[in-house]
Each structure stands twice: as C-alpha cells, then as structure tokens.
C-alpha cells in the first residue's frame, strides 16, 4: 500500500516552454504533498509543501511564479515548471503522507521526474 | 531550523560484512528519524524509521540506533548483499501529524563488493 505515482518519469523540453509533472497517491488520500528537487549526487532539497484546496507553501529561495503547484484533489498534486531554462534541469520528486495516518506516519516518495531543458 | 549531517559520504564493504552509516542532528525537538534507500533513477524508499521513545529498532538485517542525548542516530546493515548497493539518506523531523518537513542528510553511497 501507500503508492505514490509520478508522471512523466523523463521529459525533455526546449528552453522557454513549460512542463507539468503529476504526482498521484494511488491507494490513499494525501492532504499534503511535498515537492523536492535533487541535483546529481546530492541530497533532496524541499521546494514546496502542497496543500489540498489551498496555496502551496514555498521554501526560501524557490520562485513560486516559476514553479507553479496545484493540489486540486486529495490524490493529485501538479508541479508546472514555467518558462524552463537549462538550469532548471534536475530530478524532481514528490512525496506524500497518508491523511489521518497518525503521529509521524511515513513519507512515501514517487519515482521522480528527470527534467532536461535544452 | 534542523541541520542533519551524515557520514561517510561513500562506503565500500565486502559482501557479507556489516555497514554502518551515522547521522547527527541539531534540533532537540526532532523526534522522528527515518532512513531511505535510493537506487539509481528512482525515488527514495523508506527502509526503517525510529521514534525518540525508543533507542533501537531492528528489521531483519537492518537496525537503527538513536542516542537523543548526543543527538545522533545510526543505520546498521548486517550480512550485506550486492542488492544493498544504493544511496542511503537519513532524515529528521519534529513531531508530525501531516505537514511537518523532513530534513535530509547528504547521503551515503554504499557499494557492496562481491
């Protein structure tokens, strides 16, 4: 149980275009989802916390107008990288906890999206 | 905010031997400490976690120990196998009911030598 599905797994886009990444909780509801970014051989850096039905909370230094997050339902959050540039190339990973899963319920991760901007 | 340090950054172990990865954290309010395994091109997978009301937890070949006084916790893998080769991340979090954030360590690349 507690599967997080992320799509697409890989995407290549041209500079200036926008890319949407979907994150779905397949067998549970998630009031909150988290979006991370990971550079090669580095740790996971939290970008934003996505809250169902409300605005996302962005970490310091993350441009909210560039990384648009929408959490329209209890099972889907989307991250849109707008006007992508080569420096946005990275591995983006979403994660979620089971809503009402109790104290310190585990955080489950998707398999990530490798974005390459040419 | 929380700061998590992880050592070593790389670790090579002969198959069958044990591997130990250590982490320290800075925020005494943290009380949840998960460990994740990440294989190449995939997202992190939770392998074990520990809460601050226990000092040790074991699941088959994997164990985690926690020293709250010293603010450090460790992952122990015994009888290592080639499929244990991956990057391992420790993390720390304050008490969480849903939206509290995990702070990750910098990762350890574990290589099991056949």
């Amino acid at each position: 149980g507690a599967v997080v599905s992320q799509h697409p797994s890989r995407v290549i886009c041209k500079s200036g275009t926008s890319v949407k990444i979907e994150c779905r909780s397949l067998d549970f509801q998630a009031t909150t989802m988290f979006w991370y970014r990971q550079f090669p051989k580095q740790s996971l850096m939290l970008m934003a916390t996505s809250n169902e039905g409300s605005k996302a909370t962005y970490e310091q230094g993350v441009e909210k107008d560039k990384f648009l997050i929408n959490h329209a339902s209890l099972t889907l959050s989307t991250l849109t990288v707008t006007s992508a540039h080569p420096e946005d190339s990275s591995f983006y990973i979403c994660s979620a906890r089971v809503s009402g899963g109790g104290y310190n319920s585990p955080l489950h991760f998707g398999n990530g999206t490798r974005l390459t901007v040419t | 905010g929380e700061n998590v340090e992880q050592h070593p950054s790389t670790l090579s172990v002969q198959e069958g031997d044990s591997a130990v990865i250590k982490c320290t954290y800075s925020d005494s309010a943290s009380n949840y400490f998960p460990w994740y395994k990440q294989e190449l091109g995939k997202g992190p997978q939770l392998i074990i976690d520990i809460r601050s009301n226990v000092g040790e937890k074991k699941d088959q070949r994997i164990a985690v120990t926690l020293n709250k006084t010293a603010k450090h916790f460790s992952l122990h893998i015994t009888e290592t196998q080639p499929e244990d080769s991956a990057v391992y991340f420790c993390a720390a979090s304050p008490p969480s009911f849903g939206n509290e954030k995990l702070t990750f360590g910098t990762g350890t690349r574990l290589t099991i030598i056949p």
Side-chain angles (χ1 to χ4, degrees):
Chain A
V3 176
V4 176
S5 175
Q6 196 171 333
H7 179 81
S9 57
R10 289 178 177 269
V11 58
I12 301 173
C13 71
K14 293 186 176 181
S15 188
T17 61
S18 295
V19 173
K20 180 184 284 188
I21 302 169
E22 291 187 350
C23 179
R24 294 181 185 273
S25 55
L26 295 188
D27 49 1
F28 66 98
Q29 293 184 334
T31 307
T32 304
M33 292 184 176
F34 303 88
W35 287 95
Y36 290 83
R37 183 174 181 176
Q38 187 178 33
F39 290 104
K41 298 185 178 182
Q42 293 192 22
S43 189
L44 292 85
M45 300 300 296
L46 181 65
M47 298 176 64
T49 302
S50 169
N51 302 296
E52 187 265 337
S54 64
K55 291 183 179 180
T57 304
Y58 290 82
E59 295 300 298
Q60 190 173 9
V62 178
E63 299 176 60
K64 62 180 181 180
D65 294 331
K66 180 163 192 62
F67 299 100
L68 300 180
I69 291 173
N70 184 274
H71 193 153
S73 77
L74 287 172
T75 59
L76 174 64
S77 176
T78 61
L79 169 67
T80 301
V81 184
T82 62
S83 186
H85 291 283
E87 58 265 30
D88 298 324
S89 298
S90 191
F91 193 51
Y92 294 87
I93 316 172
C94 70
S95 64
R97 285 194 178 99
V98 177
S99 293
Y103 186 68
N104 279 336
S105 62
L107 193 62
H108 303 280
F109 284 84
N111 268 331
T113 297
R114 172 76 57 195
L115 170 64
T116 304
V117 184
T118 61
Chain B
E2 176 67 279
N3 181 49
V4 178
E5 295 189 357
Q6 183 171 347
H7 298 281
S9 57
T10 60
L11 179 61
S12 293
V13 173
Q14 205 72 36
E15 181 179 355
D17 288 349
S18 296
V20 180
I21 302 170
K22 298 181 179 182
C23 289
T24 61
Y25 61 99
S26 61
D27 188 350
S28 57
S30 289
N31 72 341
Y32 176 61
F33 308 93
W35 285 88
Y36 286 86
K37 175 183 181 182
Q38 186 178 28
E39 297 177 339
L40 190 62
K42 295 186 176 181
Q45 179 184 13
L46 179 69
I47 56 172
I48 196 168
D49 58 14
I50 191 168
R51 292 165 176 78
S52 62
N53 57 339
V54 297
E56 183 174 356
K57 183 177 178 180
K58 189 173 182 180
D59 182 5
Q60 299 182 342
R61 296 187 297 109
I62 295 173
V64 58
T65 59
L66 170 65
N67 184 328
K68 280 224 75 179
T69 303
K71 289 191 272 188
H72 64 71
F73 55 113
S74 300
L75 177 71
H76 304 252
I77 306 174
T78 59
E79 302 172 21
T80 53
Q81 301 167 3
E83 53 265 37
D84 294 331
S85 295
V87 179
Y88 291 81
F89 291 96
C90 63
S93 169
S96 167
F97 286 91
N99 60 355
E100 285 76 9
K101 299 177 284 189
L102 280 179
T103 300
F104 284 87
T106 48
T108 296
R109 183 171 298 277
L110 175 62
T111 302
I112 305 303
I113 304 166

